[in-house]
Every structure is written in structure tokens, then in C-alpha cells.
Amino acid sequence: MGALVTKRGALGQWGSRLYVSTKEAADVCRDTWNVPAQLADIEFMAQDEEDSSSSSSSPSLSVESAPDSMISEEIQKITVGGWENTRVLDRNDKGNRLGGLPVLWTPSIKALWAPFILLPPYDNEGDSDGAGDNKVNNLPLHRLRLSASALRLTLCGQKPSDALGIPIGIGLVIDDVLIEIARQDGDL
């Protein structure tokens, strides 16, 4: 389950589960970022592979085999179809990375935030005006900087389902991405 959310001038992408394909990735998520990750057998299929194994695959990027959210103890199979549509550049092209787009990340709730306005700073008491009357425990917030050689919006032919909900139908394809992550409330 996932959703688009807004909060104090930022647009966010939230997900309830994070699936990874190696035990090492699951350990890093848990030990470094305090994010529970579930190990899964994730297969990314290109159109020529799909043609030989399935007649129902979509020509655009889509989840062909979704995990069952009720199962958490066993390794599940996830199949992503249309993988060949996730390239903008030719494989031999190396573009120059551009961007440095600032993004905020709240790992404990698995949310990425694109700030459209500057978020107010918080003092040690958890409020933005310094009065100290609004004591809250803020979620850990990390600064990310995203750079890429190429990007484009693409239509995704994902069909609605109980497992995946109702998709937005638009995906962002990014080539040669670099993600820089700062420690909590740290500089990049």
C-alpha cells in the first residue's frame, strides 16, 4: 500500500512496506536507517522475456505479480514487467548528471518528500516558534540530493487490484541516478 501525501508545503510518496532482494539490503535498512524491510524474490522482466512466459503482460512498466501483504514471514515472488521501458539513454551513452534536486526522507515511515516551500526550522523542543509549548517527537528527517543524466514521465499501464490499489498511472523514469543521503538533520 502506498499513497501521495501533502504536509506543510511538501508533496510526499509514502509506502507501507519496503521489499528488497538481498539480505544485505534488508540488514542495512534495519540497522542503519531503522526501516523494516522484507526480503523478496524480485524479478525485472523485459518485453522479450515476457513474451515467452506470459501473454497478459503490459507493454508499459507494471507489477505483474504483487506480494501478498498478509504474508510477512516467507520470501515472496514479485515480478515487474515492462522493464525495458525504464531507460531514457542508450546503454552506451553516458550523460552528464544534472540536478541536485533536494528531497527529504523520513525512513521510519518510508516517505520521500519534495519540498515546494522551505519547511520551518524546529528548535530542540519540537516547535517552530521557539515558545516550547508544543512538545512533540519529530520523526527522523534526512536530506537527500538526487542527480540524474536523464529523466522523463511515462504512462504506466498498471491495472487496479486489491493488492496494489488504484494506481496513479504515471511513472518517472530516471537514468544514471545518484542519491546522496545525509545523516539525520545533517548537511550533504
Side-chain angles (χ1 to χ4, degrees), residues 13-188:
Q13 164 70 44
W14 167 83
S16 64
R17 295 182 182 268
L18 175 64
Y19 291 96
V20 296
S21 58
T22 66
K23 182 175 181 337
E24 293 81 11
D27 291 344
V28 167
C29 288
R30 184 188 63 248
D31 298 339
T32 304
W33 302 110
N34 195 27
V35 174
Q38 290 183 252
L39 195 57
D41 177 12
I42 304 173
E43 184 177 4
F44 300 95
M45 297 180 65
Q47 186 65 40
D48 55 339
E49 296 169 342
E50 294 171 24
D51 288 341
S52 64
S53 64
S54 170
S55 60
S56 64
S57 61
S58 168
S60 63
L61 185 64
S62 62
V63 177
E64 301 294 330
S65 172
D68 184 344
S69 64
M70 301 304 287
I71 300 172
S72 61
E73 298 303 318
E74 63 185 59
I75 296 175
Q76 298 187 63
K77 173 102 172 139
I78 301 171
T79 305
V80 179
W83 194 244
E84 73 282 356
N85 297 318
T86 63
R87 300 284 307 175
V88 177
L89 299 174
D90 183 275
R91 290 195 183 276
N92 298 324
D93 288 344
K94 277 293 183 192
N96 295 327
R97 276 196 194 106
L98 304 171
L101 176 70
V103 176
L104 302 173
W105 179 38
T106 310
S108 52
I109 61 169
K110 298 173 270 319
L112 290 171
W113 302 92
F116 291 111
I117 63 170
L118 293 177
L119 298 176
Y122 282 85
D123 67 8
N124 291 336
E125 299 298 325
D127 64 356
S128 59
D129 61 5
D133 55 354
N134 187 16
K135 294 184 181 183
V136 295
N137 292 327
N138 292 326
L139 292 170
L141 188 64
H142 299 265
R143 297 179 203 285
L144 278 75
R145 183 170 43 227
L146 302 178
S147 303
S149 296
L151 63 93
R152 74 169 176 221
L153 288 175
T154 185
L155 295 176
C156 298
Q158 185 69 54
K159 295 183 173 97
S161 70
D162 290 339
L164 299 172
I166 301 172
I168 296 172
I170 297 175
L172 181 62
V173 177
I174 305 173
D175 270 352
D176 195 26
V177 68
L178 173 66
I179 304 172
E180 299 170 87
I181 305 172
R183 294 281 179 200
Q184 183 177 344
D185 300 324
D187 293 328
L188 288 169

